[in-house]
C-alpha cells in the first residue's frame, strides 16, 4: 500500500511542474496641449488637450509539443 501511495505522489510531482512564460509589459503616456487662435466661429483663443495612453504586453511560451506560442495584445486609449 505504501509503495502505491509513494508512486502516486512521485507521478503527481512529475506531472504538475509549474509552467513559466516570458512576458514583457511596457507602455507610454502622452499629453498634448493646444492653444488655438483665429478659429472660425470661435471668439478669442481656445485651449484643447489630447491624451493617449498605450500599453503593450508581449509574451512567448514554449508548448509541450515543441511549438512556440507568441502573444502581443496591445491597447491604446485616447480622447
Amino acid at each position: 500500500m505504501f509503495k502505491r501511495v509513494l508512486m502516486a505522489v512521485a507521478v503527481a510531482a512529475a506531472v504538475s511542474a509549474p509552467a513559466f512564460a516570458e512576458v514583457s509589459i511596457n507602455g507610454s503616456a502622452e499629453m498634448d496641449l493646444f492653444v488655438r487662435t483665429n478659429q472660425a466661429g470661435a471668439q478669442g483663443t481656445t485651449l484643447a488637450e489630447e491624451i493617449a495612453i498605450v500599453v503593450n504586453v508581449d509574451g512567448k511560451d514554449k508548448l509541450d509539443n515543441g511549438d512556440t506560442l507568441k502573444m502581443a495584445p496591445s491597447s491604446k486609449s485616447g480622447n
Side-chain angles (χ1 to χ4, degrees):
M1 181 68 175
F2 180 72
K3 289 182 182 180
R4 288 183 186 172
V5 172
L6 185 61
M7 183 63 90
V9 170
V11 169
V15 174
S16 65
F20 296 103
E22 183 179 318
V23 177
S24 170
I25 300 174
N26 59 41
S28 64
E30 179 180 320
M31 181 174 179
D32 297 323
L33 294 174
F34 302 100
V35 177
R36 297 183 176 163
T37 59
N38 299 327
Q39 296 290 310
Q43 302 216 348
T45 61
T46 58
L47 181 64
E49 68 179 43
E50 181 180 286
I51 300 171
I53 298 173
V54 178
V55 176
N56 299 317
V57 178
D58 298 322
K60 184 169 60 168
D61 191 12
K62 187 164 186 171
L63 303 176
D64 290 337
N65 63 2
D67 290 340
T68 301
L69 173 69
K70 293 182 181 179
M71 59 179 172
S74 181
S75 170
K76 181 175 183 180
S77 131
N79 59 355

